[in-house]
Structures are given as structure tokens and as C-alpha cells.
Amino acid sequence: GLDQILSLHDFEAVARMTMSRRGWNYYSSGADDEITMRENYNAYQRVWFRPRVLRDVGKVDYSTKILGFDSSMPIYITATALGKLGHPEGEVCLTKAAHEHNVIQMIPTLASCSFDEMVDAAAPGQVQFLQLYVNSDRSRTRKIIKHAAERGVKALFITVDAPQLGRREKDMRTKFEGNASAHQTKGGDKVQRDSGAARAISSFIDPGLNWKDIPELREAAGKMKILLKGVQCWEDAVLAAEAGVDGIVLSNHGGRQLDFAPAAITILPEVVQQLHHRGLLHKADGTRFEIMIDGGVRRATDVLKAVALGATAVGIGRPMIYAMSGYGTEGVSRALQILKDEFEMNMRLIGAPKLEDVNPSMVDISALRTPNVGPTAYATNYELMMPAGI
Ligand code: HOC
């Protein structure tokens, strides 16, 4: 049962054993040889702490603000598509658990639940962000943005790492039989039903999207914050800051798009440094150009490493979907509680009473660029990870 789940890994083990083959193949797959997907996880093992002692850690506070909005911890539930492949209630489970734990949910464009269902499931005042794929038919995109603003969404995350779908062979081997017609483009492009869930839902996305489109999207966003999700090098981080967006997510889409894209944590230090050198980290109004990262996060220690290196917050995707798949809202809630417990303990052990204390001096990144040698702790042996009695 749920009480035997001790870590985010355990949810993955349960999901693998209990999910439909289609669901598992969709969520767990990465692009090509899944090198980037594994590297996302492995890279965190090359960042070590420099713990401090005697710092009065009787009380620790890991609450923070993300884009100015309160969050109980420096994480958010990032967008993942097709939640009902995991659980019949779909993404509203994420919405409800996010509220219980005061964390922010990023609503996915390609969710199984409708956008309105996810907003309706939110508690009064609950902050939600929206991840957005830009449609080849821009009037549709403008309509979505307008509706999001009317429904109180606080920030838009424009996905920029997916001009075309990555090749996830595990997913492609499962035939998609869902009703994908809603996602057909206006021009009548055929949805390819015979090659995986991802391909069936992605044909409307505009590969022509480019930097010149950003001002218009910025304008359409109005009072909502706007960020680019899927930046993968410092040059583009600089262009994003110069384009006047509110921040970026360094992300390779969970290793599902370009294989051999770098893990976000490995490029975070140079992104922060280059923005800092150009005076782009702080905006004229005193707010920060926020840098978030995602991919491969399974532990609060991973998040603390990212925070130490300058990330505002870290997106967690697959682990939340796995928790939801096994146990619905309760599972996601448990996953978030596990992370809170891990934050509390690890902030004590590194000697950081507050998140502001988690700065670059608290990590040693000398091994960051050295590839892992030999087997890593990446848990591919799911039988070993499986908690007893499940
Ligand atoms: C070209 C569009 O984010 C996934 C989802 C959907 C991908 C659409 C990509 O499967 O990673």
C-alpha cells in the first residue's frame, strides 16, 4: 500500500508493474537511445554538497516564491500530456494534490482533462500556470491565451523544444487508439494513429515558431507572466532575456526530444554566469529573470543542487504521473509529502536553515562535466526498487 512508498522511485516501480503497456510506454520513453533521458538523472550524481555545520538548523524553511507566487517548496508539477493513460481521473488529481501541499501545477496543453476541468478543480486562489504549444493556426493559440487569462492562469510557458516530435520508439511500438481528432489541424492534416500516443497528438504544433513571434505572444499574454520552456544553451537564454520574457525553463523535455541534448543541471552554471555578466539576471523593476529547470529530478537533494546553482524552482513531471497512476490524488499528495520530508532533513544536513542559504558555495561541481563512469544508481532494476508487499 501507499504507506510502504518511501521515495519517488517506488512510485515508478509500482507504475511499471501496474500501468497499461500503452501508458508505461508513453510516459517512460525517451528519444532514440534514451541517452539524454538517463543523463538527466545521472548528472545530479556529479554534483556534491559542501555541507556546513553548527548553523542552527532547529527550524528549516524551504518555502519560496516562484514568479512572485507562494510555493511551499522550490518545485512545481510540470506539464505532462495524456494523464488518463495513467489514471481514469487524469490531471485533476495533480490539481487537487497541488492544492493540498501549496505547490503550483503547470497545466499541459495536451492534457486528458480539459483546461476548464483543471481550473474548476482548483481551490479558490490556487495558482496555476499553463504550458502552451503554439498552433500553426495562430488564432487558436490567441484564443487559448485569452481564455487562460480570463480563467486566472498566472503564467504561460511556451514550449520551444518541440518543433517536431522526438522519436520515442518504445511509444511508437504501441498503437494509439484514443480519439485524437480534436487535435487535427485546420488544414486537415491526417493524425497518424499508428505510431504512438505522442505522434497522434502533436501534428498541430508549428515548427515555424521563431524569435520574431515572441513579442506577439508577450503582448497576447497581457498581465500573465511569459516564459520559454525548453531552452538548452546560454546563447538562447540571453536571447530570451533580451526578448523581454520573464524567465526560462532549461529543459530537454524529459529526454523525449533530442537525444544528446545536455541535462539542464549541467548547463545551469554557465547560463547563470552569462546572464549575470550581461546584467540580465535582474530586471529594471527589481524582479529576477527566473531560471527553472526540469528533467531527472527524484530527490529533494537534486532540487537543492539546482537551487544552489541559481534555479528558482525545479519542475517534476514523470514522478508525479507515476504517483498518480498508482494511487490517484492520494499518491501525488504522498509524493509531495515525501519531498517535503526530504527537504527538511537535507537542509538540516547541509546546514542551510533557509533556501537563501543554499548558494553556489554549498555545492562542488568540479565533476559536473565528467561523464559518469561505470554503472550509476539509475534504477533500472525495478524488481529491486519494488517496495515489499505491493
Ligand atoms: C512536436 C510536439 O510533451 C510528450 C508531450 C507531447 C509532445 C508533443 C511534441 O510526449 O513529450
Side-chain angles (χ1 to χ4, degrees), residues 26 81 110 133 162-165 168 198 201-202 205 253 256-257:
Y26 175 63
L110 299 175
Y133 285 114
Q164 183 181 340
L165 186 68
R168 303 103 183 238
I201 55 174
S202 62
I205 293 163
H253 211 115
R256 294 162 75 77
Q257 287 296 103

PDB file of all heavy atoms in Angstrom, residues 26 81 110 133 162-165 168 198 201-202 205 253 256-257, ligand 1:
ATOM      1  N   TYR A  26       4.355   5.141 -23.142  1.00  0.00           N
ATOM      2  CA  TYR A  26       4.297   6.573 -23.451  1.00  0.00           C
ATOM      3  C   TYR A  26       5.113   7.388 -22.448  1.00  0.00           C
ATOM      4  O   TYR A  26       5.983   8.164 -22.822  1.00  0.00           O
ATOM      5  CB  TYR A  26       2.846   7.054 -23.494  1.00  0.00           C
ATOM      6  CG  TYR A  26       2.763   8.554 -23.686  1.00  0.00           C
ATOM      7  CD1 TYR A  26       3.260   9.139 -24.850  1.00  0.00           C
ATOM      8  CD2 TYR A  26       2.252   9.378 -22.691  1.00  0.00           C
ATOM      9  CE1 TYR A  26       3.226  10.511 -25.031  1.00  0.00           C
ATOM     10  CE2 TYR A  26       2.210  10.758 -22.862  1.00  0.00           C
ATOM     11  CZ  TYR A  26       2.699  11.313 -24.036  1.00  0.00           C
ATOM     12  OH  TYR A  26       2.684  12.670 -24.201  1.00  0.00           O
ATOM     13  N   ALA A  81       1.651  15.241 -20.761  1.00  0.00           N
ATOM     14  CA  ALA A  81       0.427  15.048 -21.552  1.00  0.00           C
ATOM     15  C   ALA A  81      -0.309  13.764 -21.168  1.00  0.00           C
ATOM     16  O   ALA A  81       0.236  12.887 -20.501  1.00  0.00           O
ATOM     17  CB  ALA A  81       0.785  15.032 -23.042  1.00  0.00           C
ATOM     18  N   LEU A 110      -1.775  19.459 -23.722  1.00  0.00           N
ATOM     19  CA  LEU A 110      -2.263  18.185 -24.247  1.00  0.00           C
ATOM     20  C   LEU A 110      -2.742  17.244 -23.149  1.00  0.00           C
ATOM     21  O   LEU A 110      -2.530  16.037 -23.204  1.00  0.00           O
ATOM     22  CB  LEU A 110      -1.163  17.518 -25.085  1.00  0.00           C
ATOM     23  CG  LEU A 110      -0.715  18.327 -26.313  1.00  0.00           C
ATOM     24  CD1 LEU A 110       0.462  17.649 -27.013  1.00  0.00           C
ATOM     25  CD2 LEU A 110      -1.868  18.508 -27.294  1.00  0.00           C
ATOM     26  N   TYR A 133       1.688  24.823 -26.327  1.00  0.00           N
ATOM     27  CA  TYR A 133       2.256  24.563 -27.652  1.00  0.00           C
ATOM     28  C   TYR A 133       1.641  25.571 -28.595  1.00  0.00           C
ATOM     29  O   TYR A 133       0.425  25.779 -28.570  1.00  0.00           O
ATOM     30  CB  TYR A 133       1.894  23.152 -28.131  1.00  0.00           C
ATOM     31  CG  TYR A 133       2.678  22.063 -27.460  1.00  0.00           C
ATOM     32  CD1 TYR A 133       2.059  21.144 -26.626  1.00  0.00           C
ATOM     33  CD2 TYR A 133       4.045  21.957 -27.659  1.00  0.00           C
ATOM     34  CE1 TYR A 133       2.791  20.138 -26.009  1.00  0.00           C
ATOM     35  CE2 TYR A 133       4.787  20.956 -27.047  1.00  0.00           C
ATOM     36  CZ  TYR A 133       4.152  20.048 -26.229  1.00  0.00           C
ATOM     37  OH  TYR A 133       4.872  19.071 -25.630  1.00  0.00           O
ATOM     38  N   ALA A 162      10.156  21.632 -29.143  1.00  0.00           N
ATOM     39  CA  ALA A 162       9.452  20.559 -29.846  1.00  0.00           C
ATOM     40  C   ALA A 162       8.891  21.009 -31.198  1.00  0.00           C
ATOM     41  O   ALA A 162       7.700  20.926 -31.453  1.00  0.00           O
ATOM     42  CB  ALA A 162       8.336  20.016 -28.963  1.00  0.00           C
ATOM     43  N   PRO A 163       9.768  21.514 -32.116  1.00  0.00           N
ATOM     44  CA  PRO A 163       9.262  21.844 -33.448  1.00  0.00           C
ATOM     45  C   PRO A 163       8.802  20.581 -34.173  1.00  0.00           C
ATOM     46  O   PRO A 163       8.003  20.639 -35.099  1.00  0.00           O
ATOM     47  CB  PRO A 163      10.467  22.470 -34.151  1.00  0.00           C
ATOM     48  CG  PRO A 163      11.654  21.978 -33.408  1.00  0.00           C
ATOM     49  CD  PRO A 163      11.212  21.767 -31.983  1.00  0.00           C
ATOM     50  N   GLN A 164       9.342  19.475 -33.759  1.00  0.00           N
ATOM     51  CA  GLN A 164       8.895  18.183 -34.274  1.00  0.00           C
ATOM     52  C   GLN A 164       8.989  17.188 -33.133  1.00  0.00           C
ATOM     53  O   GLN A 164       9.812  17.362 -32.220  1.00  0.00           O
ATOM     54  CB  GLN A 164       9.782  17.725 -35.438  1.00  0.00           C
ATOM     55  CG  GLN A 164       9.301  16.419 -36.028  1.00  0.00           C
ATOM     56  CD  GLN A 164      10.151  15.910 -37.174  1.00  0.00           C
ATOM     57  OE1 GLN A 164      10.890  16.670 -37.793  1.00  0.00           O
ATOM     58  NE2 GLN A 164      10.060  14.629 -37.446  1.00  0.00           N
ATOM     59  N   LEU A 165       8.191  16.177 -33.206  1.00  0.00           N
ATOM     60  CA  LEU A 165       8.186  15.168 -32.162  1.00  0.00           C
ATOM     61  C   LEU A 165       9.468  14.341 -32.189  1.00  0.00           C
ATOM     62  O   LEU A 165       9.905  13.906 -33.243  1.00  0.00           O
ATOM     63  CB  LEU A 165       6.979  14.257 -32.402  1.00  0.00           C
ATOM     64  CG  LEU A 165       6.679  13.209 -31.355  1.00  0.00           C
ATOM     65  CD1 LEU A 165       6.227  13.867 -30.071  1.00  0.00           C
ATOM     66  CD2 LEU A 165       5.601  12.279 -31.877  1.00  0.00           C
ATOM     67  N   ARG A 168      10.371   8.371 -30.060  1.00  0.00           N
ATOM     68  CA  ARG A 168      10.354   7.511 -28.866  1.00  0.00           C
ATOM     69  C   ARG A 168       9.886   6.133 -29.294  1.00  0.00           C
ATOM     70  O   ARG A 168       8.700   5.882 -29.447  1.00  0.00           O
ATOM     71  CB  ARG A 168       9.403   8.067 -27.805  1.00  0.00           C
ATOM     72  CG  ARG A 168       9.672   9.487 -27.324  1.00  0.00           C
ATOM     73  CD  ARG A 168       8.703  10.443 -27.956  1.00  0.00           C
ATOM     74  NE  ARG A 168       8.918  11.855 -27.611  1.00  0.00           N
ATOM     75  CZ  ARG A 168       7.977  12.581 -27.036  1.00  0.00           C
ATOM     76  NH1 ARG A 168       6.823  12.067 -26.678  1.00  0.00           N
ATOM     77  NH2 ARG A 168       8.206  13.848 -26.804  1.00  0.00           N
ATOM     78  N   ALA A 198       2.192   9.870 -28.620  1.00  0.00           N
ATOM     79  CA  ALA A 198       2.736  11.208 -28.804  1.00  0.00           C
ATOM     80  C   ALA A 198       2.492  11.711 -30.219  1.00  0.00           C
ATOM     81  O   ALA A 198       2.067  12.838 -30.438  1.00  0.00           O
ATOM     82  CB  ALA A 198       4.217  11.209 -28.483  1.00  0.00           C
ATOM     83  N   ILE A 201      -0.954  13.128 -31.136  1.00  0.00           N
ATOM     84  CA  ILE A 201      -1.464  14.370 -30.551  1.00  0.00           C
ATOM     85  C   ILE A 201      -0.664  15.603 -30.962  1.00  0.00           C
ATOM     86  O   ILE A 201      -0.976  16.704 -30.557  1.00  0.00           O
ATOM     87  CB  ILE A 201      -1.456  14.295 -29.003  1.00  0.00           C
ATOM     88  CG1 ILE A 201      -0.063  13.947 -28.495  1.00  0.00           C
ATOM     89  CG2 ILE A 201      -2.525  13.325 -28.511  1.00  0.00           C
ATOM     90  CD1 ILE A 201       0.050  13.991 -26.987  1.00  0.00           C
ATOM     91  N   SER A 202       0.368  15.425 -31.752  1.00  0.00           N
ATOM     92  CA  SER A 202       1.319  16.515 -31.895  1.00  0.00           C
ATOM     93  C   SER A 202       1.303  17.221 -33.242  1.00  0.00           C
ATOM     94  O   SER A 202       2.082  18.134 -33.469  1.00  0.00           O
ATOM     95  CB  SER A 202       2.734  15.982 -31.634  1.00  0.00           C
ATOM     96  OG  SER A 202       3.052  15.016 -32.591  1.00  0.00           O
ATOM     97  N   ILE A 205       1.353  21.297 -34.006  1.00  0.00           N
ATOM     98  CA  ILE A 205       2.364  22.214 -33.471  1.00  0.00           C
ATOM     99  C   ILE A 205       3.175  22.863 -34.591  1.00  0.00           C
ATOM    100  O   ILE A 205       3.563  22.209 -35.552  1.00  0.00           O
ATOM    101  CB  ILE A 205       3.266  21.463 -32.474  1.00  0.00           C
ATOM    102  CG1 ILE A 205       2.406  21.096 -31.253  1.00  0.00           C
ATOM    103  CG2 ILE A 205       4.460  22.280 -32.049  1.00  0.00           C
ATOM    104  CD1 ILE A 205       2.987  20.048 -30.386  1.00  0.00           C
ATOM    105  N   HIS A 253      12.903  18.422 -22.287  1.00  0.00           N
ATOM    106  CA  HIS A 253      11.620  17.731 -22.446  1.00  0.00           C
ATOM    107  C   HIS A 253      11.703  16.300 -21.912  1.00  0.00           C
ATOM    108  O   HIS A 253      11.200  15.353 -22.514  1.00  0.00           O
ATOM    109  CB  HIS A 253      11.241  17.721 -23.930  1.00  0.00           C
ATOM    110  CG  HIS A 253       9.772  17.745 -24.225  1.00  0.00           C
ATOM    111  ND1 HIS A 253       9.171  18.798 -24.863  1.00  0.00           N
ATOM    112  CD2 HIS A 253       8.773  16.847 -23.975  1.00  0.00           C
ATOM    113  CE1 HIS A 253       7.877  18.533 -25.010  1.00  0.00           C
ATOM    114  NE2 HIS A 253       7.615  17.362 -24.469  1.00  0.00           N
ATOM    115  N   ARG A 256      12.908  13.495 -24.156  1.00  0.00           N
ATOM    116  CA  ARG A 256      11.962  12.907 -25.105  1.00  0.00           C
ATOM    117  C   ARG A 256      12.064  13.523 -26.491  1.00  0.00           C
ATOM    118  O   ARG A 256      11.353  13.119 -27.415  1.00  0.00           O
ATOM    119  CB  ARG A 256      10.532  13.101 -24.588  1.00  0.00           C
ATOM    120  CG  ARG A 256      10.261  12.342 -23.321  1.00  0.00           C
ATOM    121  CD  ARG A 256       9.043  12.861 -22.588  1.00  0.00           C
ATOM    122  NE  ARG A 256       7.765  12.502 -23.185  1.00  0.00           N
ATOM    123  CZ  ARG A 256       7.191  11.313 -23.092  1.00  0.00           C
ATOM    124  NH1 ARG A 256       7.808  10.345 -22.442  1.00  0.00           N
ATOM    125  NH2 ARG A 256       6.022  11.079 -23.630  1.00  0.00           N
ATOM    126  N   GLN A 257      12.936  14.519 -26.662  1.00  0.00           N
ATOM    127  CA  GLN A 257      13.018  15.194 -27.955  1.00  0.00           C
ATOM    128  C   GLN A 257      14.363  14.900 -28.636  1.00  0.00           C
ATOM    129  O   GLN A 257      14.473  13.954 -29.364  1.00  0.00           O
ATOM    130  CB  GLN A 257      12.778  16.696 -27.736  1.00  0.00           C
ATOM    131  CG  GLN A 257      11.301  17.005 -27.432  1.00  0.00           C
ATOM    132  CD  GLN A 257      10.435  16.647 -28.622  1.00  0.00           C
ATOM    133  OE1 GLN A 257       9.744  15.621 -28.643  1.00  0.00           O
ATOM    134  NE2 GLN A 257      10.468  17.480 -29.650  1.00  0.00           N
TER     135      GLN A 257
HETATM  136  C1  HOC B   1       6.046  18.030 -31.535  1.00  0.00           C
HETATM  137  C2  HOC B   1       5.218  18.061 -30.315  1.00  0.00           C
HETATM  138  O1  HOC B   1       5.023  16.676 -24.334  1.00  0.00           O
HETATM  139  C3  HOC B   1       5.456  14.430 -24.878  1.00  0.00           C
HETATM  140  C4  HOC B   1       4.452  15.523 -24.846  1.00  0.00           C
HETATM  141  C5  HOC B   1       3.847  15.791 -26.167  1.00  0.00           C
HETATM  142  C6  HOC B   1       4.852  16.018 -27.227  1.00  0.00           C
HETATM  143  C7  HOC B   1       4.419  16.852 -28.340  1.00  0.00           C
HETATM  144  C8  HOC B   1       5.599  17.223 -29.159  1.00  0.00           C
HETATM  145  O2  HOC B   1       5.070  13.315 -25.200  1.00  0.00           O
HETATM  146  O3  HOC B   1       6.617  14.636 -24.577  1.00  0.00           O
END
